[in-house]
Amino acid sequence: GAVVSQHPSRVICKSGTSVKIECRSLDFQATTMFWYRQFPKQSLMLMATSNEGSKATYEQGVEKDKFLINHASLTLSTLTVTSAHPEDSSFYICSARMGDQPQHFGDGTRLSIL
Amino acid sequence: KNQVEQSPQSLIILEGKNCTLQCNYTVSPFSNLRWYKQDTGRGPVSLTIMTFSENTKSNGRYTATLDADTKQSSLHITASQLSDSASYICVVTGKTGANNLFFGTGTRLTVIP
């Protein structure tokens, strides 16, 4: 089945640093990738949608300068959390889909900002 | 407003017992409904997908039902195992727009020996 790989699985870093998370579709070409954030005991909240080769579309309330998304190829999207602060600590999950096919989710990245 | 509500929020059952999780939605138009299992610290994994015309679908010990008229779905787990402990999320797909997935808040299931 379709596999989406997310890396790293866990990051712990100091406040003020920038963190990059990678999302790769391993066996299919992802025309669209999605980035979600999940706080404890809550469901996934969509942050942004990215289509290969074009700018990401951000959900209301998500700062595009804070969360930089790059979808440079059909198999890779990156999310960079710039100048991260403790309130950015969360579980970040990506998903990918090809055309109108169902989304496949990565295993998430646990980000902890000290 | 498109919403997906799940109940109960959490559930504790003994190993070997059955349980049923509920999902009510107001998403319209409707394309399909999926149940996902999300283990702690992992991404969601799809269990079942149901379209408008399907009433029941099984995947091993998991059986999902859908009543498109009342906009309700259930996930029944038979003969629960310790490994079933996870969050179960109901996700409804609408038909329009790129952001057409609507997530429930999940039911946290704990199976105890």
Side-chain angles (χ1 to χ4, degrees), chain A:
Chain A
V3 178
V4 174
S5 173
Q6 200 171 327
H7 179 80
S9 58
R10 185 175 180 98
V11 180
I12 302 173
C13 58
K14 293 181 179 179
S15 182
T17 58
S18 293
V19 179
K20 180 184 284 188
I21 302 170
E22 292 187 350
C23 179
R24 294 181 184 271
S25 56
L26 298 185
D27 53 358
F28 67 100
Q29 293 186 324
T31 50
T32 307
M33 286 188 169
F34 304 85
W35 287 96
Y36 296 86
R37 182 165 51 184
Q38 186 177 31
F39 292 106
K41 297 184 180 181
Q42 295 187 22
S43 193
L44 283 70
M45 294 178 58
L46 181 66
M47 298 175 65
T49 302
S50 74
N51 293 297
E52 184 265 340
S54 62
K55 290 183 178 180
T57 301
Y58 290 80
E59 294 301 300
Q60 190 173 12
V62 179
E63 300 174 57
K64 60 180 66 176
D65 295 330
K66 174 79 172 176
F67 299 98
L68 301 179
I69 291 172
N70 184 284
H71 191 168
S73 76
L74 285 171
T75 59
L76 173 65
S77 176
T78 61
L79 168 68
T80 301
V81 183
T82 61
S83 187
H85 292 287
E87 58 266 28
D88 298 323
S89 298
S90 188
F91 191 54
Y92 292 86
I93 303 176
C94 74
S95 71
R97 76 177 184 198
M98 180 174 65
D100 291 333
Q101 296 300 306
Q103 294 184 31
H104 299 277
F105 291 87
D107 265 345
T109 297
R110 173 72 59 194
L111 176 61
S112 299
I113 308 299
L114 305 178

